[in-house]
Amino acid sequence: MCEKQAAADFLLAHDNYEILTHANPDGDTLGSGFALCLALQSLGKNARVITTNIPKDFVFLTEGVSAQDFEAETIVSVDVADEKLLGDNREAYSGRIMLCIDHHCINKVSAPLKCVDPDAAANCEILFDIIAKMGVPVEGKIAVCLYTGIATDTGCFKYGNTTSRTMRIAADLLDSGVPAPAINKVMFDTKTRKKLRLEQAAYRGMEFYADDRCAIITITCEMLREAGASDEDAEGLANIPREIEGVRMGITLREKEDGTFKISVRSDREANAAAFCARFGGGGHIEAAGCRIRGTREEVLAALKAAVDETL
Ligand SMILES: [Mn+2]
């Protein structure tokens, strides 16, 4: 269900856009949002991105995008699978989304026009097509935004969601002049000392389950404090457990101040992380998904291990 031409026609026909990202924004939702914002502005339309807490590595995506003052008319969501993922913006925007552009396999956003393509590795792949169909050249800052989204959602073109089409789009973006090595260095090959300390603690605490086919790490609030690290430094740690040989399912627990744990799951395609997280009211992609569970660490671990028993 992805009529890209219909989405492009809609975008050309309307004006005064607010573009919604998901909460705890990543490179794909921000890349999608700012690429679309720039495309709309280049057509003389009013547009702004509504987002919060942009991680510092992604702030460059916002640079050079003019902040416009206007009365919003048309609400578009990008990379948002469910209205509850709008976070603090949920109340203000629920039920008002007119066009939903997404690539999650389960999309629960209710909108009169939806463009959802689960075969796209990144939502930015879909935006690449839509922006071209709008007649806007995919180059310059728009191309940088789209490249960043695609590179981050594919783990720099390593994950199983990467297709030949992903590579072809990336090739077009490189042809347009995107400085891919510089972006990749920041996204994948740079870490703060705080993050290093956090990783060291995470590796030390890693435990194995289900005959070592499952590896689990826990990041507690205390570990963050001891490392002098922020929530942002904890991003990306979810990939660590799956790096261990023989591990088919890697689970990361992040303790939150509100008495819940944020769970990130990375798996092979058979184990299906999205289905695993759906048991706990979460969702995502086949190889990368997440959910929230309330309880003590022991209770949460027990619930997760029971689900692992039924999955692996
Ligand atoms: Mn995405």
Side-chain angles (χ1 to χ4, degrees):
M1 175 184 54
C2 187
E3 268 303 323
K4 291 170 185 163
Q5 188 62 55
D9 292 344
F10 175 94
L11 290 162
L12 290 172
H14 293 75
D15 200 352
N16 298 314
Y17 287 93
E18 280 187 333
I19 303 161
L20 306 180
T21 74
H22 59 74
N24 303 313
D26 60 10
D28 192 31
T29 197
L30 291 169
S32 296
F34 285 97
L36 179 58
C37 186
L38 285 166
L40 291 165
Q41 289 181 355
S42 79
L43 294 168
K45 295 177 185 291
N46 291 323
R48 61 177 162 248
V49 178
I50 306 296
T51 188
T52 47
N53 300 326
I54 299 179
K56 71 169 173 29
D57 284 352
F58 296 123
V59 169
F60 78 100
L61 296 174
T62 71
E63 286 161 6
V65 183
S66 62
Q68 296 180 316
D69 192 26
F70 59 88
E71 193 159 334
E73 273 177 359
T74 317
I75 313 297
V76 181
S77 68
V78 288
D79 200 36
V80 179
D82 190 313
E83 284 175 3
K84 70 184 184 196
L85 299 173
L86 294 173
D88 293 343
N89 290 321
R90 180 181 185 177
E91 217 164 291
Y93 290 97
S94 253
R96 294 177 56 207
I97 297 170
M98 295 165 72
L99 168 62
C100 165
I101 304 170
D102 185 34
H103 72 127
H104 289 87
C105 41
I106 299 173
N107 180 290
K108 292 183 179 166
V109 174
S110 66
L113 185 57
K114 289 176 71 162
C115 186
V116 180
D117 179 7
D119 293 329
N123 200 52
C124 280
E125 279 188 24
I126 305 173
L127 264 306
F128 177 89
D129 286 338
I130 291 175
I131 290 171
K133 286 182 191 298
M134 288 161 68
V136 175
V138 178
E139 60 189 21
K141 190 65 188 286
I142 291 176
V144 166
C145 287
L146 296 179
Y147 178 85
T148 302
I150 293 169
T152 50
D153 257 27
T154 59
C156 211
F157 308 95
K158 279 194 306 193
Y159 300 156
N161 58 357
T162 308
T163 64
S164 59
R165 184 164 161 68
T166 310
M167 299 282 201
R168 287 195 180 92
I169 292 172
D172 283 351
L173 295 171
L174 260 62
D175 283 344
S176 81
V178 170
I183 295 173
N184 295 341
K185 167 74 178 144
V186 173
M187 297 297 144
F188 306 104
D189 294 332
T190 306
K191 66 182 71 168
T192 60
R193 297 285 285 267
K194 293 172 190 174
K195 182 164 183 178
L196 172 67
R197 287 197 289 271
L198 202 56
E199 281 186 8
Q200 288 171 324
Y203 276 108
R204 270 198 300 275
M206 188 184 296
E207 60 175 304
F208 292 89
Y209 186 68
D211 295 325
D212 299 345
R213 286 171 299 161
C214 173
I216 304 172
I217 60 174
T218 304
I219 312 292
T220 62
C221 296
E222 194 187 337
M223 284 163 70
L224 282 182
R225 274 194 299 274
E226 279 178 3
S230 65
D231 239 19
E232 197 178 316
D233 296 303
E235 293 298 334
L237 294 180
N239 293 322
I240 288 177
R242 260 281 278 156
E243 291 170 355
I244 313 303
E245 185 179 26
V247 169
R248 293 183 49 211
M249 181 169 258
I251 303 179
T252 302
L253 285 69
R254 258 167 73 189
E255 185 187 15
K256 296 301 214 177
E257 301 284 0
D258 66 356
T260 65
F261 281 83
K262 185 181 173 205
I263 313 299
S264 301
V265 178
R266 301 288 182 270
S267 70
D268 58 23
R269 296 191 88 77
E270 271 167 69
N272 195 340
F276 183 92
C277 289
R279 293 161 169 261
F280 301 102
H285 304 288
I286 291 173
E287 290 173 283
C291 58
R292 284 222 184 214
I293 308 179
R294 181 169 289 280
T296 65
R297 182 181 172 195
E298 288 67 32
E299 290 165 347
V300 171
L301 269 177
L304 288 167
K305 285 177 175 175
V308 169
D309 286 335
E310 291 176 31
T311 303
L312 291 182

